[in-house]
Amino acid sequence: MTFTITENSLVKDIVNELPKTSDVFKKNRIDFCCGGNIPLSQAVAQNQLNMDTLLEELKIVFETYENTEKDVEVWTESDSNTIMEHIISNYHRVSEEELSMLSPYVTKVSRVHGDNHPELLKVNELFYEFKKELLKHMEKEEAIVFPLIKQIIDGTVENRKEAIAMITELEKEHDHAGEILRQIREVTSDYKLPLDACGTYRLVYARLEALEELTFMHVHLENNILFPRYIA
């Protein structure tokens, strides 16, 4: 996939194609919601921005997306330390950033549209439950479980049975996170947008669905490739 965004690209089309670009527009005070039906050149002029700088910021988002692991089966041949480093860099850090950036959008949409669409109140509740659980889970992986796996690898683990039990516990936490995502998908009717959905509403659904995919890839790497090496 080639980077095709130009000064003639409509702001709304850029966000629809790559929802994470909304962060770039928000930072630069470009209205991608109600005022998104304008070319990038007009948005740049209105906000007295530098086109080359803005395009570079958008390209960084594009390249980050493109470099996200598409075929995780390649990791079956990688050593565990490499996999853990990959998970931390490409899933933990990325998830932390996305949870932080997405939070205000979820809150705003539920507050503005919750009266007419009460399912958004439930989405808001479930999202923050998911955020809390995933952040705690990733912290545990980095601080406790991944170091234990490294100790198993180099033969220095003090209690292998206890270490394996903690790995198994992480799998149960994955199940819980997956259940929350399932509930979000259920209450949104598979992220089906109502006719009156505004740009921010659409953005939230697109990014929630992308977060679901990111989480599933994260869990796949651990449940199906990394963890079975130690709990099989």
Side-chain angles (χ1 to χ4, degrees), residues 191-228:
Y191 298 105
K192 182 179 180 180
L193 289 159
L195 294 176
D196 61 343
C198 68
T200 305
Y201 200 137
R202 294 173 182 276
L203 176 74
V204 165
Y205 272 28
R207 288 180 67 161
L208 282 173
E209 192 163 22
L211 179 63
E212 176 190 76
E213 180 181 0
L214 180 71
T215 304
F216 286 167
M217 297 284 275
H218 175 183
V219 171
H220 172 76
L221 266 177
E222 294 180 347
N223 278 17
N224 300 329
I225 297 177
L226 179 63
F227 295 167

Side-chain angles (χ1 to χ4, degrees), residues 6-43:
T6 70
E7 61 181 22
N8 297 317
S9 302
L10 296 182
V11 171
K12 68 174 185 178
D13 291 342
I14 296 172
V15 176
N16 287 341
E17 182 69 24
L18 194 57
K20 278 287 289 180
T21 56
S22 59
D23 294 335
V24 174
F25 291 132
K26 182 180 179 182
K27 186 189 79 170
N28 288 284
R29 301 184 183 280
I30 295 175
D31 181 0
F32 57 84
C33 181
C34 302
N37 194 29
I38 60 173
L40 200 58
S41 57
Q42 186 176 337

